[in-house]
Amino acid sequence: MNKPAPTRIAILGLGNLLMQDDGVGVHIIRKMMQDPPVDTDLYEIGTSVLGSLDILENYAQIIAIDAVCADGPPGSVYYFDGGDALVPDGHSLHDLGLPAAIQMLDPERRPRVLIVGIQPAQIDLGLELSSKLKKALPQIVQCIHSRVHYFTHQNQSLSH
């Protein structure tokens, strides 16, 4: 079994669209579809991380975007190495399920993963992002574009 080719990066939008800012990963993917970064494939995963194993095993590089509570101002962007998010019980820093899903893959097919965490303003029932995250969305998308550009042109680790 060959390791996936490193020529493309999968960008995954995670989160629950029914819970306002918890769905920020999917909202970001939808915004990025208007102007996707070169050599990337965009996926709306939502809460179906385990259902995305076929996607995970076909990329050498993954960027996963989700809400993460880190006590910063709403819209703050945090980067976590996917390997650092693994804990003994198989859950991620905020129950993404992504690290557990990656551990289910054959070690030869495991991608490198960057988790991009976005500080939410409000998590409550609702389909729309909070006004603070709506306002920050273009800047967040630009941060992700910059990270992809840096990685693809500098051949550096995703989290540096």
Side-chain angles (χ1 to χ4, degrees), residues 34-35 39-40 50 64 90 101 109 139 143:
Q34 298 169 9
D35 182 25
D39 294 328
T40 63
L50 292 178
R109 299 194 64 81
Q139 184 177 358
C143 287

Side-chain angles (χ1 to χ4, degrees), residues 55-111:
I55 295 169
L56 298 175
E57 70 182 359
N58 286 307
Y59 291 88
Q61 320 294 332
I62 303 281
I63 296 175
I65 308 162
D66 199 1
V68 61
C69 293
D71 295 327
S76 296
V77 179
Y78 303 95
Y79 301 103
F80 303 97
D81 182 288
D84 292 344
L86 298 176
V87 292
D89 65 2
H91 290 71
S92 74
L93 294 173
H94 54 293
D95 293 325
L96 283 175
L98 182 63
I102 290 170
Q103 283 190 328
M104 295 172 129
L105 300 175
D106 180 313
E108 293 295 315
R109 299 194 64 81
R110 288 183 188 156

Side-chain angles (χ1 to χ4, degrees), residues 2 8 23 35 45 49 77 122 127 130 132-133 143 145 151:
N2 295 330
R8 294 187 71 77
D35 182 25
I45 302 300
V49 175
V77 179
Q122 188 168 345
L127 298 174
S130 66
K132 290 181 180 180
L133 251 56
C143 287
H145 273 271
F151 178 72

